[in-house]
Structures are given as C-alpha cells and as structure tokens.
C-alpha cells in the first residue's frame, strides 16, 4: 500500500524530534508526528522570547491517517527522497517540498484557534478566490509577523477563516510540490512591521505600539477585503482608518505595501461590493459569516469613510493613473455624501429621526459606527468625518486638475463648519452633543469621541476646544473613570433607555438598559464600556491642543495596556476584551476588533510624547 506522500516528514533531519519544539528568540514551532502540520507556532517579532502562547488548533491542523505513525517511515522519505522538510535560522523558517513522480502531495497545514489568536494573512487576493498571492505576511496580533515568500512563481496559499462554527479558526495551507513545480520552498521570515520612530527604536514603553500597529489590518478570505477580523464583516465606515494607518507602514514585503491592501479593498467597493453600514449589505444569503445591514439607508459615516480612504491612498501613493481611472465613481461618492443636507442648513441629515424613544431596531440601525446608540438626524460625529473627507477630497481634486469640483467641495465644507458648533454645542454642559434629533432636541451623553473628532478635524476653534477638553477631563474625574489602561468610555454618563438599541440580551452583556435612566446598562458595551475604539480622537485632540500632562496621564497607561495585549482575546466569562467595564470585566464578542488599534496612530502623529 502506498503511503500518502506528504505525511512523510523530516524535522531538522531527525524524525524522533518531531514532537519537540524548535525555538529561537523569535519563534517556537513543533510538527505533528502523523501529518504534515504544525502543532505549535508562536512568534515574537521583537525577539524577546515571549513564546509561551501557542494558538495552533492542533485538532484541525492536518489530515491524520489512522494507524500510520511517522516513526515507521524512512527518515529520507518516499523512494529515498525528502517530501517535506523544515529547516531554520534565527529569524527564518524554511518549508521545502519535493515532488515524487506518480504521487500527489498533501499541503502543509497551519490552523489557528481564532479564540486563542485572531491570525490573518495580509496580501493580495483575487476577487472570488480564497487564495493569497505571495509575497504575503502572516500576522499574529500582539505576537508577531512572518513574511512569506516562495521560490515558485504563481503558487498561492490557501486561506480560510470561519467564526460561526463550533470551533472558530483561521487556516493557512502551503501547497506541496507538483510536476509543474518539482521543488517548492516557502520562506517564513520573522519581521517587526511598524512605523519607524528614529531615536526610540529601543524604548520599551513603545513595545505595544510595535507589536500592535499591524493589528488594524485583517483580510477576510471569504470576501477578499479588509474587515473587522479575518472571519468578520468588512465594515465600510472603518476603511478610512486602514488607510490612515497603512500610509505610515514600511513595505510589508518586496512589491507589497499595506496601501496595496487598501487599494484592493477600495477596488472591491468600487466594483459594487458592499460592507456593513451600507444598504443591502448581506441581506441575501452569502457563504461568509456576516451580520446583515437590513436598514433602508446607508449609514451617514460610510461614504465619507470611503472618500477619505481614497484621498489618503492617492495622496500617499501619488497614483495618478488609478485616481483618474476611478475619479468619476469616487467623486460620485463625494457628491452623494454631501447630498444628505436635506434642509439646506449645511449639515448632513440621516433619515432616522433620532427622537427619544424612536430607537433603531435590528431593521433600522443608527447613523454611525456606534450602532447600538440612537444616533440619528443630525449626527455630530458623522458630520465631523464628512467635513474632513470633503476637505481632503478637495485637495485631491486640485491635484488632478478638477478645480471647479474642489471649489464646490470647499464651499460645502465651509457651510458645514459654520453650522457645526451652533447646532451641537450644548449650553447646559458646555460640550458638543452627540446628535440633534428631528424634534430639535440635543442628545448629550458626554461623548468623548464626538468632541475629540470635532477638535481633531478642526471644527472647533482653540479657545472653545480647550474649554471642552477641560470639561471632559473634569467629568472623567467626577464619574470616577481612572483606569486608562482599559482605553476610554465612548460616553461618560448612562444612555437612557429610549436612546439605546432594543436587544433581547441582558444588560450585563451588551449594555441594554431596562431602567429608564439607563444606569443598569452603564459600563457595558457601547453604553459607557471602556475600549480602545475611537479613543484616538481624544488622544489626538489633546496632542493638537498641546495638553501634555493630560495626554501623558491617559495615553501612557493605554500604551501599557496595548503592550499587555489587553484589547483582544477573551476573559474568564467567555466574552472578549475589546469592551470592558470600568473594573476590567470583559463584555465584547468579536475577540479582536481592529478599531481598537486606530489609537496607535497617535504615536506616529506625536512620537516625542508617546509613551514617556
């Protein structure tokens, strides 16, 4: 009986070593004794030997053959030749496969338990294919990255990820050699991919930045787009974050940049793909594990996110040909974005009323990312993003020679800015409210991110900006929020029941209050839960205002939290760390939510003060 070729395996020239890990300061790996698969795969891109965590899902790591044990096979493989061989150097693992005539080799498998680590492959994926082109990068969030190259042109890695299965997983398989490619060699080089900060290369206070910066990028193989994580939704209103962070990264590999992933994602949207936040998204059956957006409108922050991402991409790459080829469609997004000013007052309006008690249900979601809060009608966060997107797209129009379009965009942006503070400033609190509902009421829950975004994007003049931040900082102290290693709450007071999304979940899960004042749901999920999500805007506002003491008091503990991996993974209660109550209890569900890592952009914006 012929032995399946790729089950014959040699590890460091000795089959008896198959169960023992091979280690350096940068990695620790081990191989299965009965299959072509890793049973351990840990990375430490910083070379500090932090390799105790093994996220490999060993049960799914390969195709076992009952009754077959590797030790019974020749150490030289089938017909006197090696089949799969692993060799190593300090920062390098090399997987080599050799073809034997008449045999079909099985691939070498690497399968991760997604609850242990939200691994992802980063590279180009053709539309409709679950295969990753090389070179690419295997990234293990908060652990490390491996740059993958191959000697055989055209070979692609099989890539798969699922979350709605009994055991959520991310799987990568390395195809074996074939007659067309009789010797295939995969090189996995451990690399640290983050923006360079001259003079602070060895500053330990920024280790979390170095390990976590790339966490913002996750490619979902079933939709071939950047997404919340490898098995989660592509989200339209977060694409701008990927672009803003990608522009500062060094090349991921020869011929591959992070902005290539942004381009791939934008081209999917330009080609008609939808993301969460857009009308019709996932409302018909698909084979990806997606959450539908059944709302009859596209969220107010989706189009500005796409326009801003395209603006950043064009400015960073100077890809004039791409810009001109797609200008008509991109400018149509900008025009549609600014067409939402239904009453002509300069601000964009969302069709949902935002009135208290008119809470968005599962079939009618709010106007922005914070999709369990009743943002509607005139949304202060979405309008801040629209202002910034219109201003940046006007710059691109000038670059491309479309001066009339640029003038129109600037005029509209100017009208929006003129209306912004008079509309949203709450005279009772002295800060900006979250939204103004169609009945004329302001809905102010001390939203940190709304006020931060308005200051970051230049909608508030400096004296008022300082006054707002004085009040925000004082309110944090008054309500007792002090553990900034958890991030920041989106709101500092409870959201009342009529302004929070209806849910059947208990309040301790997703913040749904049963009491009218919202106090029983407070600190859970989007109802005041602590998170890294959207904390960037508060941090960046403090940087822009030169408030170094406040910045250090908030941002330094957050950076320690990033270094400890406190913004991903799961707690003892089975819920994830991407949302915490103020004592550190876990109340999230994604496991890894890329928005948490947007805050690390603030290090790049002001490296002199970050982490000190």
């Amino acid at each position: 009986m012929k032995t399946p070729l790729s089950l014959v395996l040699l590890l460091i020239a000795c089959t008896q070593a198959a169960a023992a890990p091979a280690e350096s300061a940068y990695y620790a790996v081990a191989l299965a004794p009965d299959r072509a698969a890793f049973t351990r795969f840990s990375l430490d891109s910083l070379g500090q030997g932090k390799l105790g965590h093994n996220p490999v899902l060993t049960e799914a790591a390969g195709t076992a053959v009952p009754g077959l044990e590797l030790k019974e096979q020749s150490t030289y493989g089938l017909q006197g030749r090696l089949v799969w061989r692993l060799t190593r150097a300090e920062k390098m693992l090399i997987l080599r496969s050799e073809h034997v005539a008449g045999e079909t080799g099985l691939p070498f498998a690497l399968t991760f338990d997604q609850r242990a680590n939200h691994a992802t492959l980063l590279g180009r994926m053709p539309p409709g294919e679950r295969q990753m082109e090389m070179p690419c990068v295997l990234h293990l969030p908060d652990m490390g990255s491996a740059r993958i190259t191959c000697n055989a042109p055209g070979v692609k890695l099989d890539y798969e990820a699922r979350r709605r299965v009994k055991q959520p997983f991310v799987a990568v398989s390395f195809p074996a050699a074939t007659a067309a490619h009789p010797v295939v060699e995969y090189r996995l080089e451990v690399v640290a991919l983050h923006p360079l900060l001259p003079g602070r290369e060895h500053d330990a206070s920024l280790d979390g930045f170095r390990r976590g910066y790339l966490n913002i990028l996750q490619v979902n193989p079933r939709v071939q787009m950047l997404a919340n994580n490898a098995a989660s939704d592509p989200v339209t209103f977060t694409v701008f974050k990927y672009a803003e962070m990608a522009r500062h990264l060094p090349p991921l590999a020869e011929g591959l940049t992070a902005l290539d992933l942004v381009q791939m994602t934008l081209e999917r949207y330009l080609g008609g793909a939808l993301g969460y936040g857009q009308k019709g998204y996932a409302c018909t059956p698909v084979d990806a594990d997606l959450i539908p957006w059944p709302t009859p409108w596209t969220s107010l922050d989706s189009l500005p996110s796409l326009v801003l991402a395209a603006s950043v991409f064009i400015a960073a790459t100077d890809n004039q040909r791409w810009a001109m080829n797609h200008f008509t469609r991109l400018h149509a997004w900008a025009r549609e974005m600014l067409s939402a000013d239904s009453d002509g007052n300069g601000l964009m309006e969302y069709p949902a009323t935002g009135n208290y008690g008119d809470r968005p249900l599962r079939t009618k979601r709010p106007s922005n990312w914070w999709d369990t809060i009743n943002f509607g009608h005139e949304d202060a966060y979405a309008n801040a993003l629209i202002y910034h997107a219109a201003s940046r797209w006007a710059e691109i129009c000038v670059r491309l020679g479309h001066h009339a379009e640029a003038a129109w965009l600037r005029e509209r942006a100017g009208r929006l800015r003129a209306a912004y503070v008079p509309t949203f400033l709450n005279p009772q609190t002295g800060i900006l409210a979250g939204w103004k509902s169609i009945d004329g009421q302001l809905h102010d829950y001390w939203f940190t991110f709304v006020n931060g975004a308005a200051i970051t994007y230049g909608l508030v003049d400096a004296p008022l900006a300082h006054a707002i931040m004085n009040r925000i900082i004082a309110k944090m102290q008054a309500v007792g929020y002090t553990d900034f290693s958890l991030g920041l709450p989106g709101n500092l007071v409870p959201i009342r029941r009529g302004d929070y999304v209806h849910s059947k979940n208990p309040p301790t899960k997703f913040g749904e209050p049963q009491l009218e004042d919202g106090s029983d749901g407070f600190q859970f999920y989007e109802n005041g839960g602590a998170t890294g999500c959207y904390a960037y805007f508060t941090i960046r506002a403090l940087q822009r205002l030169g408030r170094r003491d406040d910045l250090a008091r908030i941002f330094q503990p957050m950076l320690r939290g990033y270094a400890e991996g406190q913004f991903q993974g799961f707690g003892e209660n089975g819920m994830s760390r991407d949302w915490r109550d103020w004592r550190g209890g876990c109340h999230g569900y994604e496991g890894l939510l890329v928005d948490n890592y947007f805050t690390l952009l603030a290090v790049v914006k002001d490296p002199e003060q970050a982490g000190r």
Side-chain angles (χ1 to χ4, degrees), residues 510-526:
F510 289 127
E512 167 70 8
Q514 304 302 307
L515 299 177
E516 189 61 32
D517 66 0
S519 59
D520 56 328
F522 190 48
Q523 298 185 19
F524 304 131
Y525 196 53
E526 292 182 8

Side-chain angles (χ1 to χ4, degrees), residues 81-99:
R81 297 176 61 184
L82 291 174
V83 178
W84 278 106
R85 178 173 184 172
L86 176 69
T87 57
R88 64 190 181 96
E90 184 185 23
K91 292 185 179 183
M92 181 81 73
L93 297 167
I94 302 174
L95 267 177
R96 180 184 176 93
S97 172
E98 295 184 6
H99 177 65

